[in-house]
Amino acid sequence: MLFPFKVPRKGQLEAIAAAREAFARGKRFVVIEAPTGSGKSGVAVTLAREASSAYLVTAQKLLQDQYARDFPELALMKGRANYRCLVAPTHAAAAPCIAGRKFPECDDCPYFCAKEAAMAASGTLLNYAYYLTELNYQGGFGPRELLVLDEAHNAEGALMSFVEVSFSDAQLRRVGIGEALPVVLDENEWFEVAEDLVPLFRSRRRELEAQLKGARLPTETALELLAHKGWLESQLARLELLAYSRDEENVEWVALRTSGSGGQSVTLKPVKVAAFAEELMFRFGERVLMLSATILDPPTYLRSLGIDPGDAEVITIASDFPPENRPIYPRPVARLTRHHLERDLPKLVHEIIELLEAHPEDKGVIHTHTYKIAAYIARYLPKRHAARLVTHDSAEGREAALDKHLRSRQPTVLLTPSMTEGIDLPGDLSRWQVICKLPYPYLGDPQIARRRELDPAWYDWRTCLTVVQAYGRSVRSRDDFAVTYVLDADFGAFVRRQRARLPGWFLEAVQG
């Protein structure tokens, strides 16, 4: 047994044995659903150690770092921008070597040293973005016996981000293409525009190659041109995939157009990514182990990734966290749908004031689901309460806000629309939390609207997934405790509708 801990948690050894047996019976995919804090990492690392070679892929770099601290035998690999350059005050993604200039120090380049170690290791830690880019486009890494996808409910979203195509007037100007995007009235015309961009992108790429080859450019200029060339190559690969999938595999795509002072911006997305999962993600593992706290609905989950149910085994681990340590209190004070939002936001703020006063010495987290709700709460809380808030107004400020909350000795409260997963707030880091609004996916995105139309179960599943993930941020062990308040007035009806999809350990914590 290569189990990494002295004392296993309840269900860990049973899950390992069940996964091992399923693979032995010829199942290619094993999906393990285990609650937050149940020790999924121990299961993942045990099976990775038993394989001759393995990739272990996580959703976020923070989770990579956590794995690397706990299991130092795993080789950690991230993108170039995470490694410093030894010859210039920059990172490896903007280093002089990219422009063809080499120095003696380059032999000890942290990025390439880490990559060599990661390729040679039997177990390698990657994040989804780097894994998809590196294995599909860059080369060096090859297939392995076992592919472990941690936080596997994020696999579909990672594939969507990888294959979607975005271009804008500002981006075209930046890379030296003078033509602006046309004004079109029919969404389908954007796919014709995308097709017309291909020869423009190829021509501009050839021009950049000639400039880089034929002249002695300053390093900064060469790096800028290389960045433009890289963007064009990335877009061409995605446009090729788009055209092939629409023409040969009948994959449906949608277009989202926005406009602003810089001109138009367009994003093209497939309605579903199931057709891409095997070629872009799964083919690099002879066997695939997938772990998450929120599988919830196995048929819908497997369908979203194009996995044949007959080729998969789903294993469920029950929670042994006492429900009295993690109660959920519905406090139905506000309807925060589009039609009621403005009317009910003051009611939401009033309730949050009461909760802040009920937990004056406790750290906590308030999940708002949207930046608009977060901004309203921050603006209208009395100063004596607003002083406790740690918040952010964009994705760029997320990590700084989290770090401030973790380091502060004061009873700070995170106010955030984007920390429903991927963060740990054990013990006194969060003794209470609030879910302001049921986190339905945004129907203003045409991909989500069309997906809901084709597969309503998927839409409900994604909402349940986010609720359960948010709930799991604060109670991280059997002896930990925290209280969760749900302020959305529709929560009771939601629980009744989704009772068959929500896990039993979640339902048993709901009070009243």
Side-chain angles (χ1 to χ4, degrees), residues 117-250:
M119 288 190 296
S122 60
T124 302
L125 274 170
L126 309 167
N127 58 63
Y128 280 101
Y130 185 82
Y131 170 83
L132 289 167
T133 300
E134 186 69 26
L135 274 79
N136 284 291
Y137 293 145
Q138 300 302 322
F141 290 97
R144 295 195 176 183
E145 181 185 342
L146 182 67
L147 169 61
V148 180
L149 301 179
D150 195 11
E151 301 296 321
H153 58 277
N154 287 304
E156 182 186 25
L159 277 168
M160 180 66 72
S161 296
F162 184 65
V163 301
E164 68 181 30
V165 185
S166 294
F167 45 84
S168 67
D169 288 325
Q171 287 170 322
L172 297 184
R173 289 193 297 269
R174 191 176 301 121
V175 300
I177 295 176
E179 296 188 29
L181 297 173
V183 176
V184 303
L185 300 178
D186 185 344
E187 173 190 298
N188 288 320
E189 291 183 47
W190 283 117
F191 297 99
E192 297 176 12
V193 172
E195 187 176 339
D196 293 340
L197 286 174
V198 170
L200 288 176
F201 285 1
R202 287 175 176 162
S203 175
R204 181 55 181 154
R205 180 181 63 180
R206 288 193 295 269
E207 291 174 0
L208 291 172
E209 288 172 344
Q211 284 182 266
L212 288 163
K213 184 178 181 179
R216 293 181 60 83
L217 300 168
T219 298
E220 288 186 8
T221 302
L223 287 172
E224 184 178 12
L225 296 181
L226 278 166
H228 295 167
K229 177 173 172 286
W231 183 83
L232 290 166
E233 289 173 342
S234 174
Q235 293 299 97
L236 285 166
R238 286 169 167 79
L239 288 168
E240 181 180 344
L241 183 65
L242 183 158
Y244 178 82
S245 67
R246 292 184 81 227
D247 295 341
E248 303 297 330
E249 298 184 357
N250 294 316

Side-chain angles (χ1 to χ4, degrees), residues 57-126:
V57 185
T58 70
Q60 300 179 41
K61 289 182 285 187
L62 288 173
L63 294 175
Q64 277 185 281
D65 294 336
Q66 183 176 320
Y67 265 100
R69 287 193 301 269
D70 294 343
F71 312 106
E73 80 272 16
L74 295 172
L76 177 64
M77 191 69 224
K78 300 178 182 178
R80 280 178 173 267
N82 295 277
Y83 300 87
R84 66 186 180 91
C85 175
L86 298 180
V87 298
T90 185
H91 49 68
C97 63
I98 296 178
R101 296 184 63 186
K102 295 293 182 71
F103 299 86
E105 294 91 338
C106 292
D107 291 339
D108 297 317
C109 171
Y111 172 74
F112 284 106
C113 288
K115 186 172 180 179
E116 288 179 9
M119 288 190 296
S122 60
T124 302
L125 274 170
L126 309 167

Side-chain angles (χ1 to χ4, degrees), residues 356-401:
L356 285 162
E357 291 176 347
H359 298 273
E361 303 299 327
D362 296 328
K363 283 179 175 283
V365 56
I366 300 173
H367 301 287
T368 65
H369 184 51
T370 70
Y371 283 106
K372 180 176 181 178
I373 294 174
Y376 188 95
I377 293 169
R379 180 178 180 183
Y380 288 103
L381 277 180
K383 287 184 178 180
R384 67 184 186 278
H385 295 309
R388 292 176 62 186
L389 296 182
V390 178
T391 189
H392 56 104
D393 58 10
S394 68
E396 287 71 27
R398 180 180 180 273
E399 289 192 18

Side-chain angles (χ1 to χ4, degrees), residues 255-288:
L256 173 63
R257 172 195 169 276
T258 58
S259 61
S261 59
Q264 296 187 92
S265 177
V266 181
T267 299
L268 307 177
K269 299 181 182 182
V271 174
K272 301 178 182 179
V273 296
F276 307 107
E278 175 59 35
E279 178 65 19
L280 298 179
M281 181 175 281
F282 297 143
R283 70 184 174 96
F284 303 108
E286 180 183 333
R287 295 177 285 124
V288 183

Side-chain angles (χ1 to χ4, degrees), residues 281-339:
M281 181 175 281
F282 297 143
R283 70 184 174 96
F284 303 108
E286 180 183 333
R287 295 177 285 124
V288 183
L289 174 67
M290 310 168 82
L291 306 105
S292 172
T294 48
I295 299 301
L296 305 183
D297 181 346
T300 298
Y301 176 74
L302 296 175
R303 185 168 64 249
S304 74
L305 292 170
I307 298 173
D308 182 349
D311 202 17
E313 184 91 1
V314 179
I315 299 164
T316 300
I317 300 177
S319 175
D320 70 338
F321 292 8
E324 59 269 23
N325 286 4
R326 47 182 180 85
I328 301 171
Y329 288 105
R331 297 178 71 152
V333 299
R335 294 190 182 280
L336 300 175
T337 58
R338 180 166 54 91
H339 298 295

